[in-house]
Amino acid sequence: MPSQEELFDAVDALLEGEPRLPSPAERARLREAAGVTQARLAAALKSTPQTVKNWENGRSKPRPPRLQAYLRLLDGWAERYPAPAASATAPVPVPAPVPEAFTGPVEQPAEPTGHATGTIAAAPEPVVKAAKPSATSRRPATEAAPQRPTDPRFPHGPLVVLDGDGTAFGVDGIVLDCPATTVAQLVEWTLKESGLGAPRLNRNGKDSDPLIALTAAAAVKLGLPERLEGHEQRRSLCLEDDHPVVKQLAKAKWKLTKRGFGPWARIYRPAKAGQRQCVQFAMLSWDALDARSWPGVAGMEPADIARVLGTYASRVITPRGSTATSGLELMTALRPPTRAVKNDTTGQWESAYNPGSLGTEPMDPAPPEAPPEHPAAQGWTGGFLDEEAFQWVRDPQLLSDEECLLPYAVGLDLNTAFLAASARLVVGLSAPDHFHAPKFNKKIPGSWLVDLSGIELDPRLPSPFTPSGQRPTGPAWYQTHTLAYAQELGHEVTPIEAFLRRETGAYLDPWHDRLKAAYADTLADLGVTPDLDDRQFLSAMEHHKQVDPGMAAVLAAIKATVKGGIGKLRERPQGRHYRDGERWPALERPTWRPDIRAAVISKARVNMHRKMANTAKATGQYPLGVLSDCVVYASPGPSPLDFLPYTTSGKPLPGAFRLGTTPGLAKVEGVQEMAWAVDLMEKGHNPARHIKGGDAVTDEGE
């Protein structure tokens, strides 16, 4: 344990020109403004970055002697950078707008270091007319509206659900009267009178645009069709350019994005003086809320839909499209590509690269990282990266008589396995560089050509090196985590060539932290809390969806956000008319990064294999089949407690499968008779796909 004097010396070094803050949120804001990373602060206090992160999230606080050292640091920052006085007469400093050349037509500049947040003037006093019957009257009597902190610029929360009679149902039971009779009037009302929106998730980012979800009755009232029919894919459905509503918006000088007016429509005008003019629409009767991601929500009352969407907005992000799109947008919202910096020569604020982000320019992958249809892959004959989730079933000839005689097959599902894999995951931030015969380094993210075909493993386990679980047949491309696991198993790794990235960072860390907290908070709303023992956890999980269907829908949406967001990093081309070698729209995003997706899936697959290997080592039990994050075991009883390994003290065996609420821990996926599983395996089918009684879905969001 370092002495207090040593810590004071380290803090004094940090106080050379840095800002200050008392509350957890303010601490984090000023630390970032000072350019002090959590890692640097942790090093000064002889602690860890995760501990500092917990202090700034309010999850824990330092103990002596670190407590006194931390307080001394905050006091020093307070003297140099006092917080702006909370006076009604004191003006809030507002930086000059960042030039459009840096921000695009609807961007908003980040505030300069050391000033209060709020680069946008406060919204006009919202017009709240006499409320119609309260939204709470449409809720079950047992439901209480959650209380959320209110931003004075957005007093009515992030969104409303508009019904046909002009009633706009918001979060926390808020009900507004909307007088708009056209879509153009609705946009004007939303921006000028509604008081809707949400503050930015990062000081260098932008506030969330208000969301208006329209019921079928509201759509008809505004001149829109009740349903949007067509033979195209749902995502490409939109109104024709000559539709009266589209022409009405154009006449009022409102613009639509390239997606047009479809299930998710964004209507905007170019920003003025850094102030956004943009409204997001969700057409409920046009299937904006996919039933797979938002189960049961389409049939709810408007007030309950507002509660579901509002909870998701407060815990994740205001929806901006599908859950996959929202998952991708959340990455950018938490790691904005640019920040405002002051030009020492001109004294003007300018836009600059935000360290740790993916920047503003798209980046082509290395040829083996690209899908075969990508322009970078045309003419490439050196093979492709195949880092996908497990889809493996054990050869039924390798089943023992003892296994076949067990009565049950029990499926375990890992909670948000991709989210667990994204924690503290170092990924590349720069373009790939090509190397021949490099020495393998598990700390460098990239793609490596290696021959692992000589490694022989127990055939009762899948090979960790291929998605099929079959042994590699020759040299192949692997992501860093897969090869690091080969080393962990005691095998030599000798790369033939590699595409590696020099600049690296834990890009997904804030994304992981926010979604992990959202997942835990929503499970807790459903009565599943971390303090439950394993039996109580299993009991709570049996009925959690019935506790509150609205929160169960939020939980499903959070899980879909994780899986879909990772999948969007490698979004494939859409449409029948696409030809190999052509670019497609997703490639123009800085967040089109198949190498990051490969890193997440590689780590998730390795994590799954490690748990299976540790379980086999401790108990002699081997899986019957694996599908992505679901694994099936033969069991003497219908509960995982009948076969999971525990220590003599009754605690779960470290390194093996454990039950619990945290991402990466397990819950029950389904239970069937063992004879059923054996029959499927003999027919070449995977019991992990059918253990719930239907087909499991391995949707990576592409």
Side-chain angles (χ1 to χ4, degrees):
M1 174 70 70
S3 68
Q4 187 167 302
E5 289 72 19
E6 290 176 324
L7 293 172
F8 282 1
D9 289 341
V11 164
D12 288 340
L14 282 180
L15 284 175
E16 296 293 330
E18 326 233 281
R20 162 262 189 231
L21 173 177
S23 72
E26 185 71 357
R27 260 178 251 154
R29 186 179 72 82
L30 289 184
R31 175 188 53 74
E32 291 175 357
V36 177
T37 64
Q38 289 177 331
R40 184 181 171 196
L41 179 55
L45 295 178
K46 304 296 188 292
S47 185
T48 66
Q50 184 60 47
T51 298
V52 172
K53 185 180 296 184
N54 290 341
W55 295 346
E56 294 182 353
N57 287 339
R59 295 176 184 170
S60 67
K61 56 185 178 181
R63 297 177 180 273
R66 290 188 178 88
L67 176 59
Q68 291 83 356
Y70 197 35
L71 289 173
R72 186 177 184 184
L73 172 62
L74 297 179
D75 289 340
W77 280 345
E79 290 178 7
R80 288 169 170 77
Y81 300 86
S87 167
T89 59
V92 176
V94 178
V98 178
E100 282 197 7
F102 293 107
T103 61
V106 294
E107 283 290 333
Q108 166 186 319
E111 71 276 18
T113 297
H115 287 305
T117 332
T119 61
I120 297 182
E125 186 66 25
V127 177
V128 185
K129 300 189 177 179
K132 302 197 175 183
S134 169
T136 55
S137 65
R138 295 198 183 184
R139 295 182 183 167
T142 56
E143 290 183 3
Q147 296 301 311
R148 301 179 178 88
T150 301
D151 187 300
R153 297 171 299 150
F154 311 117
H156 295 147
L159 57 89
V160 292
V161 177
L162 183 62
D163 211 350
D165 61 356
T167 305
F169 297 90
V171 300
D172 299 339
I174 290 174
V175 181
L176 306 176
D177 232 1
C178 176
T181 57
T182 68
V183 174
Q185 290 175 1
L186 178 55
V187 174
E188 296 279 359
W189 174 83
T190 302
L191 293 174
K192 295 180 179 178
E193 300 182 41
S194 71
L196 296 174
R200 66 195 70 184
L201 298 180
N202 181 288
R203 65 181 305 274
N204 294 310
K206 56 189 178 184
D207 298 328
S208 288
D209 300 317
L211 169 64
I212 308 295
L214 300 181
T215 65
V220 171
K221 177 184 175 181
L222 295 170
L224 297 163
E226 181 176 346
R227 302 284 305 176
L228 193 60
E229 305 293 348
H231 299 291
E232 303 94 338
Q233 290 180 313
R234 186 183 67 85
R235 72 176 71 192
S236 62
L237 285 174
C238 64
L239 296 178
E240 298 291 340
D241 291 343
D242 60 354
H243 189 279
V245 169
V246 176
K247 293 196 291 187
Q248 167 204 113
L249 290 169
K251 184 177 180 180
K253 301 193 183 316
W254 289 105
K255 298 177 180 292
L256 288 164
T257 60
K258 291 181 180 180
R259 285 193 298 185
F261 204 122
W264 289 93
R266 189 171 293 177
I267 301 173
Y268 72 97
R269 285 176 181 152
K272 289 184 178 179
Q275 186 168 347
R276 291 174 64 81
Q277 302 179 87
C278 185
V279 179
Q280 179 78 57
F281 282 83
M283 308 301 298
L284 299 177
S285 60
W286 298 3
D287 298 326
L289 301 180
D290 190 315
R292 293 169 298 179
S293 302
W294 300 93
V297 176
M300 293 180 180
E301 292 290 332
D304 295 314
I305 297 175
R307 173 177 174 254
V308 168
L309 294 179
T311 302
Y312 180 90
S314 68
R315 293 179 180 176
V316 182
I317 194 172
T318 303
R320 304 182 185 184
S322 67
T323 48
T325 297
S326 296
L328 196 69
E329 293 274 357
L330 180 63
M331 295 179 195
T332 304
L334 293 167
R335 291 275 199 195
T338 61
R339 60 180 178 139
V341 297
K342 198 168 188 177
N343 186 309
D344 293 336
T345 303
T346 65
Q348 299 296 311
W349 289 97
E350 299 175 349
S351 181
Y353 170 69
N354 187 26
S357 76
L358 297 182
T360 59
E361 297 300 321
M363 185 184 299
D364 278 347
E369 296 168 346
E373 62 268 26
H374 192 282
Q378 302 308 299
W380 173 257
T381 58
F384 293 93
L385 194 67
D386 188 24
E387 295 287 11
E388 301 294 339
F390 273 131
Q391 295 193 52
W392 172 85
V393 59
R394 201 201 314 175
D395 184 344
Q397 299 299 319
L398 297 176
L399 290 172
S400 68
D401 292 341
E402 292 78 4
E403 286 177 306
C404 292
L405 292 174
L406 291 172
Y408 296 101
V410 177
L412 294 177
D413 176 73
L414 298 188
N415 302 323
T416 55
F418 289 170
L419 183 62
S422 70
R424 297 179 295 282
L425 177 69
V426 176
V427 300
L429 301 178
S430 57
D433 291 321
H434 195 189
F435 297 87
H436 291 279
K439 182 178 179 181
F440 177 67
N441 186 333
K442 66 181 181 180
K443 295 183 178 181
I444 301 178
S447 301
W448 313 72
L449 182 63
V450 180
D451 189 352
L452 300 180
S453 61
I455 298 177
E456 186 170 354
L457 299 172
D458 193 316
R460 292 172 294 179
L461 286 173
S463 167
F465 311 128
T466 64
S468 67
Q470 302 303 310
R471 182 174 174 174
T473 57
W477 290 93
Y478 299 98
Q479 201 276 333
T480 300
H481 278 279
T482 302
L483 297 181
Y485 187 55
Q487 276 192 338
E488 182 182 321
L489 295 176
H491 303 289
E492 185 177 351
V493 173
T494 308
I496 302 167
E497 60 179 305
F499 288 90
L500 309 176
R501 289 167 168 81
R502 299 178 188 274
E503 295 179 29
T504 65
Y507 172 71
L508 292 173
D509 256 12
W511 187 81
H512 163 271
D513 292 349
R514 185 165 178 84
L515 286 168
K516 178 182 177 181
Y519 183 78
D521 291 346
T522 308
L523 266 181
D525 287 341
L526 295 168
V528 187
T529 55
D531 60 328
L532 301 178
D533 64 31
D534 284 357
R535 292 188 184 279
Q536 292 170 329
F537 168 75
L538 291 173
S539 177
M541 287 299 294
E542 285 183 9
H543 310 290
H544 75 285
K545 293 182 181 179
Q546 288 73 48
V547 170
D548 186 335
M551 289 303 99
V554 173
L555 186 68
I558 291 169
K559 292 191 286 187
T561 300
V562 172
K563 188 167 283 190
I566 295 299
K568 275 281 188 180
L569 294 169
R570 190 179 183 252
E571 185 174 2
R572 306 292 281 272
Q574 309 293 331
R576 295 173 298 170
H577 305 296
Y578 176 78
R579 297 292 179 268
D580 285 359
E582 298 175 350
R583 295 187 71 83
W584 59 94
L587 301 189
E588 308 312 314
R589 298 192 317 249
T591 50
W592 194 85
R593 291 292 303 273
D595 56 300
I596 295 180
R597 174 184 177 273
V600 173
I601 296 178
S602 166
K603 186 177 175 184
R605 196 180 68 242
V606 163
N607 287 346
M608 173 68 89
H609 192 276
R610 186 181 290 110
K611 293 177 189 296
M612 291 187 292
N614 288 337
T615 299
K617 187 182 300 183
T619 67
Q621 296 172 299
Y622 293 85
L624 306 178
V626 188
L627 183 75
S628 188
D629 49 11
C630 175
V631 58
V632 178
Y633 280 93
S635 173
S639 167
L641 299 178
D642 296 317
F643 70 91
L644 285 181
Y646 287 81
T647 65
T648 53
S649 62
K651 295 183 178 181
L653 185 71
F657 292 101
R658 295 178 54 192
L659 301 174
T661 59
T662 304
L665 300 189
K667 58 183 180 295
V668 175
E669 177 74 358
V671 181
Q672 301 286 347
E673 293 182 354
M674 183 60 184
W676 165 91
V678 173
D679 184 56
L680 276 182
M681 294 169 70
E682 289 177 342
K683 294 177 180 178
H685 300 305
N686 191 342
R689 179 177 292 279
H690 305 274
I691 194 72
K692 287 182 74 171
D695 283 358
V697 178
T698 55
D699 178 15
E700 312 306 342
E702 292 190 10

